[in-house]
Amino acid sequence: MNAAERIQTLRDTIRRHDRLYYVEARPEIPDAEYDRLWEELAALERANPSLITPDSPTQRVSGEPTGKFAKVRHDPPMLSLDKTYDRAALAQFDAFLRAKLPGDAVWDYVVEPKIDGLSVSLLYRHGSLIRAATRGNGIEGDDVTANVRTIRSIPLAIPCDAPTVEIRGEIYMTRQGFAALNRAEEEAGHEPFANPRNAAAGSLKLLDPREVALRPLDAVLYATGGLEGVVFATHTEMTRTFARWGLRTPPWQRLCLGIDQVMEAIDELERLRHAFPFEIDGAVVKVNQRALYPLLGATAHAPSSARAYKYAPEQAETRLRAITVQVGRTGVLTPVAELDPVPLAGSVIARATLHNADYLRAKDIRVGDWVEISKHGDVIPAVDRVVPAKRPADAVPFPFPERCPVCGGPVERLDGEVAIRCVNPECPAQRVGRLELFVSRNALDVSAIGGRMAEALVQAGLVTTPLDLWGLDPARLADFRLVGDDGSERRFGKKAAEVAAALERARLLPLHRWLFALGIPGIGLAAARIVAAPFASFSAMAGDPLFRDVLAFYEATERKVETKEARDLLAGEIATRAHALAARGLLLRDAPSRDFRARFLLTVKPEMAREMERFLRSDYARRLAARLAALGIDPAPEAPATPGTGPLAGKRFVITGTLSQPRETFERLIRENGGSVQSSVSRKTDYLLVGADPGGGKFDKAQALGTPQLDEAAFHALLGEAPTPPVAAPTGTPAPIQDDLFGDLA
Ligand code: IVH
């Protein structure tokens, strides 16, 4: 078999397993086997770039963020549905059809769940997905092809050679996916999404497909747009065909032989309403015989052949007994309503989220109030509003705690966040979260410790602060037992040796990785690199007044002055301070400017200096320094890109497309090996490192200039090293079910 044939076979096989996994939820092969197929295909494609086609399973996630979405005109327009709220209106629908259709017309109905998401159009030409668009105003929508391609239940190719098949349906987020996303959003200090619909819409509108790929989006297809070369006699024949093509179709459908059966189906669906993994807000009733649609026509708003039947929203009223404040694993304080228990949408609710302090204040929610609650996304009970008429006379606004309810430490609202956080790095509520950050890939990369292990280590009291890892006895760690989701117990086993090896490697990792790993507020990986650069080592940072000097510089640039003398004095002070900082390598720019305050630009921003100063002066940092010293660890900044050292000495790189690991990893590798990274291709660029789906600009320019191009394998060859194993998530490894912790033990 030659490469082209093998590539074809691999693609077909992977597509089949994608479908079994994502569409039909009945995987046939273990994840490791799937990964092997994937790797083989990716390697063959790397070796034969000319054989890459856009519908290859490796090409789902493109590398470049789009600036904004292009507009797409819908032909025919994407209509909505007329809504009814009662049975009488459905009977009228039946009567309307009788009046409108010829006497000899025979039809039946199909009832389907009305999924609460956003409608999407998928255009397949000769079997390849070439465009995906949102509904927009029905006439014109956004081209969201790059984003939709990341949704794994949507096939990039279907076995249908018709010239045009436009398939329409709904993009949604499952309740579970929504809950997980919101948890992450709240822990990151962001405003949570109000419901799965908003979360799905927000995700689809992200400008970076790589981010979209991480959002739990899904799609169900239930209609057609423009068709050429295919005809479906009935709606049920159409959805059956969709299913055969590997598209996900409505998970529940009733064929009804008259309006009475429609009523029964609607009752049945309402009983099942909460059993679906996604939110449904009603039922859709459709005429099954598609040949009748042209006879029925449409209004500007909706086709006359279907109706939406909306279920009443579910709400309950109860008394707010108390407000407690929980502290999440990233230190975010979340107010929680303690309620008089009340039945709501299939369960009894005694607690509901109040989101954050702003929400409490904006809705003026007080202890003792009667409140209306609902389940957001059908899962998260939330307080929507108070019933003012029932407010007790003595109810007072809730005093939001000014200290952390878990550790008593100070709380703070960081810039640009709605969340109020506990900023005590040793707060017990944050132990697991801090450990997870510490071992994460861009931090100290102890990947054998996953989320479950981190939690177990903290729960067992073996780790209270991340440095405790170095005190763990490997034999004891190997015997450590983890309890899986299914209740089964497994030994940590040989992962213990991996942990030990990673901890040894971590001792020598550069200072910025350590600073990032410590979770200092506002110090991400890029900021950590900047604040680490001026110091010889971690221990040297502690006694150094550098950040105080930086803050004094910024203070001077803000100081108000009245007289010319004072102004000149201040200009002198700013210049002196800037030059002192320049000696430490902090000056980014010294450009003459009409405004003397704006002349100097430092690498370290004021917020970074403030947080670093606060961290370095804390008791926590003192204890940390003592323990690091006792462990014989004293991280130093990575060697600056000294020309003439390292295999990439003096080489300039530009990166484009999606690589198997975060871009920072490659940037770091380049810098650590003596090279530098540029943001755009010029004549001076030595290499273009090309990942999957390289966008236009950089790639085309490099082609035009004849800049040498490297794929990942060639890049690693240049470094003289083996590639590090890719991260699982965005590359196409099925994410759910899998638990890497147990992978090699299962
Ligand atoms: S058929 C001409 N079937 O509900 C529109 N729509 O409120 C054909 N929806 O715009 C729509 N589930 O986004 C149809 N099973 C289903 C649906 C469904 C959800 C959405 C769709 C539509 C909206 C109308």
Side-chain angles (χ1 to χ4, degrees), residues 79-81 83 112-115 119 170 222 284 286 303:
L79 300 181
S80 182
L81 289 173
K83 295 176 186 62
E112 286 173 355
K114 181 162 158 18
I115 302 155
S119 26
E170 201 83 354
Y222 49 63
V284 183
K286 303 172 177 180

Side-chain angles (χ1 to χ4, degrees), residues 65-393:
T66 29
K68 67 182 198 343
F69 300 110
K71 290 288 172 206
V72 165
R73 268 191 95 73
H74 295 299
D75 181 23
M78 285 183 85
L79 300 181
S80 182
L81 289 173
D82 280 335
K83 295 176 186 62
T84 62
Y85 293 89
D86 55 33
R87 304 299 166 101
L90 280 181
Q92 281 166 18
F93 175 48
D94 189 54
F96 159 81
L97 294 171
R98 271 171 218 298
K100 181 104 185 178
L101 290 169
D104 57 353
V106 178
W107 70 91
D108 33 49
Y109 295 102
V110 179
V111 177
E112 286 173 355
K114 181 162 158 18
I115 302 155
D116 199 10
L118 52 144
S119 26
V120 68
S121 143
L122 308 175
L123 183 60
Y124 290 89
R125 283 208 204 278
H126 298 288
S128 285
L129 176 66
I130 61 150
R131 197 199 69 195
T134 62
R135 176 168 180 272
N137 60 13
I139 307 288
E140 209 179 55
D142 286 331
D143 184 331
V144 286
T145 312
N147 288 351
V148 166
R149 287 172 62 91
T150 68
I151 302 173
R152 301 194 181 271
S153 56
I154 295 182
L156 298 179
I158 56 171
C160 165
D161 193 45
T164 305
V165 183
E166 188 198 345
I167 297 175
R168 293 176 178 178
E170 201 83 354
I171 290 196
Y172 63 89
M173 204 174 269
T174 61
R175 276 173 291 172
Q176 222 183 4
F178 163 72
L181 176 63
N182 256 8
R183 228 167 10 244
E185 288 290 297
E186 295 206 80
E187 286 186 356
H190 301 151
E191 189 84 68
F193 291 103
N195 52 52
R197 217 195 86 79
N198 287 7
S203 300
L204 200 63
K205 296 278 167 67
L206 289 169
L207 290 173
D208 189 343
R210 289 168 297 190
E211 271 178 55
V212 183
L214 302 173
R215 296 285 176 92
L217 293 175
D218 231 313
V220 159
L221 289 314
Y222 49 63
T224 56
L227 296 179
E228 270 179 83
V230 249
V231 181
F232 304 110
T234 60
H235 181 74
T236 43
E237 182 202 324
M238 179 199 78
T239 50
R240 261 199 315 273
T241 310
F242 284 3
R244 196 152 35 77
W245 288 345
L247 296 154
R248 198 205 289 273
T249 52
W252 187 96
Q253 224 179 23
R254 285 282 175 275
L255 182 64
C256 304
L257 302 181
I259 200 72
D260 293 342
Q261 289 189 6
V262 168
M263 305 290 183
E264 284 164 25
I266 283 180
D267 286 337
E268 187 189 344
L269 183 59
E270 181 149 21
R271 281 193 300 275
L272 289 173
R273 184 173 173 186
H274 301 291
F276 292 99
F278 42 77
E279 276 216 310
I280 74 172
D281 58 345
V284 183
V285 183
K286 303 172 177 180
V287 170
N288 194 26
Q289 281 67 20
R290 288 170 60 100
L292 300 179
Y293 294 0
L295 303 181
L296 289 165
T299 65
H301 168 74
S304 305
S305 57
R307 288 286 184 277
Y309 177 88
K310 300 262 276 184
Y311 296 126
E314 292 186 87
Q315 276 179 347
E317 217 179 272
T318 185
R319 213 176 58 90
L320 175 59
R321 277 204 288 215
I323 296 175
T324 52
V325 176
Q326 288 183 346
V327 186
R329 45 171 57 190
T330 58
V332 172
L333 271 57
T334 304
V336 176
E338 308 290 345
L339 305 162
D340 278 340
V342 60
L344 171 71
S347 57
V348 175
I349 305 301
R351 311 186 79 202
T353 180
L354 291 163
H355 303 294
N356 53 55
D358 284 0
Y359 187 83
L360 268 183
R361 203 174 321 110
K363 299 261 168 162
D364 190 23
I365 298 168
R366 304 180 182 190
V367 172
D369 271 336
W370 280 82
V371 290
E372 262 179 30
I373 63 170
S374 68
K375 284 191 188 170
H376 286 200
D378 250 13
V379 253
I380 306 169
V383 173
D384 296 321
R385 65 188 68 78
V386 305
V387 184
K390 295 195 186 171
R391 169 165 288 172

Side-chain angles (χ1 to χ4, degrees), residues 371-718:
V371 290
E372 262 179 30
I373 63 170
S374 68
K375 284 191 188 170
H376 286 200
D378 250 13
V379 253
I380 306 169
V383 173
D384 296 321
R385 65 188 68 78
V386 305
V387 184
K390 295 195 186 171
R391 169 165 288 172
D394 57 353
V396 293
F398 178 69
F400 205 83
E402 284 166 15
R403 306 203 70 85
C404 170
V406 173
C407 71
V411 296
E412 234 176 72
R413 179 193 291 254
L414 298 181
D415 282 349
E417 293 192 347
V418 286
I420 291 180
R421 285 177 196 267
C422 164
V423 291
N424 170 15
E426 291 168 299
C427 176
Q430 299 174 49
R431 280 176 189 155
V432 176
R434 289 192 167 263
L435 180 57
E436 282 178 341
L437 170 66
F438 193 81
V439 299
S440 65
R441 183 171 283 271
N442 281 328
L444 298 181
D445 197 13
V446 188
S447 52
I449 297 184
R452 200 185 303 233
M453 184 64 181
E455 194 148 354
L457 286 171
V458 169
Q459 243 161 36
L462 291 176
V463 173
T464 44
T465 121
L467 291 189
D468 293 340
L469 289 175
W470 276 270
L472 295 177
D473 170 20
R476 186 140 176 238
L477 196 57
D479 263 337
F480 197 72
R481 279 169 199 284
L482 284 165
V483 183
D485 277 341
D486 55 358
S488 63
E489 274 195 20
R490 323 257 176 141
R491 279 177 84 241
F492 195 53
K494 59 186 173 185
K495 296 244 167 192
E498 288 175 35
V499 170
L503 290 175
E504 269 318 294
R505 278 196 301 275
R507 286 172 173 275
L508 297 174
L509 286 176
L511 178 56
H512 74 271
R513 303 264 304 265
W514 277 83
L515 292 179
F516 172 64
L518 293 174
I520 302 164
I523 306 296
L525 197 62
R529 197 184 283 282
I530 290 168
V531 297
F535 302 98
S537 66
F538 185 86
S539 56
M541 273 180 107
D544 196 310
L546 182 69
F547 295 115
R548 237 173 296 160
D549 293 345
V550 171
L551 289 170
F553 164 84
Y554 283 114
E555 184 275 320
T557 64
E558 308 251 289
R559 206 179 302 150
K560 298 266 180 304
V561 283
E562 302 289 340
T563 64
K564 164 103 176 50
E565 285 88 343
R567 197 195 106 106
D568 291 344
L569 261 176
L570 181 57
E573 178 187 340
I574 291 174
T576 313
R577 289 191 179 281
H579 288 132
L581 294 168
R584 302 287 303 273
L586 261 53
L587 195 62
L588 197 60
R589 186 191 74 198
D590 173 2
S593 154
R594 214 199 293 264
D595 178 3
F596 71 95
R597 295 165 193 273
R599 195 174 134 193
F600 303 101
L601 193 63
L602 301 189
T603 54
V604 175
K605 303 220 166 52
E607 313 81 70
M608 298 180 197
R610 210 168 301 124
E611 291 299 346
M612 284 306 296
E613 180 61 14
R614 178 154 82 169
F615 164 71
L616 290 173
R617 297 307 140 231
S618 68
D619 288 338
Y620 168 63
R622 258 190 286 282
R623 280 194 292 277
L624 195 77
R627 283 198 67 183
L628 281 174
L631 288 167
I633 299 175
D634 194 9
E638 74 191 355
T642 357
T645 66
L648 307 183
K651 296 288 184 227
R652 299 185 189 87
F653 283 78
V654 172
I655 306 178
T656 188
T658 308
L659 300 160
S660 67
Q661 297 184 56
R663 218 169 248 219
E664 295 89 83
T665 309
F666 287 89
E667 293 177 356
R668 173 165 55 79
L669 277 174
I670 292 170
R671 290 205 193 90
E672 283 172 2
N673 288 284
S676 61
V677 183
Q678 306 171 307
S679 57
S680 61
V681 175
S682 73
R683 262 172 224 297
K684 295 199 179 137
T685 307
D686 293 291
Y687 294 108
L688 183 69
L689 173 54
V690 189
D693 265 0
K698 295 172 181 172
F699 190 76
D700 294 345
K701 184 141 188 219
Q703 292 276 14
L705 291 174
T707 313
Q709 298 177 7
L710 300 174
D711 64 9
E712 273 185 44
F715 173 75
H716 287 293
L718 205 63

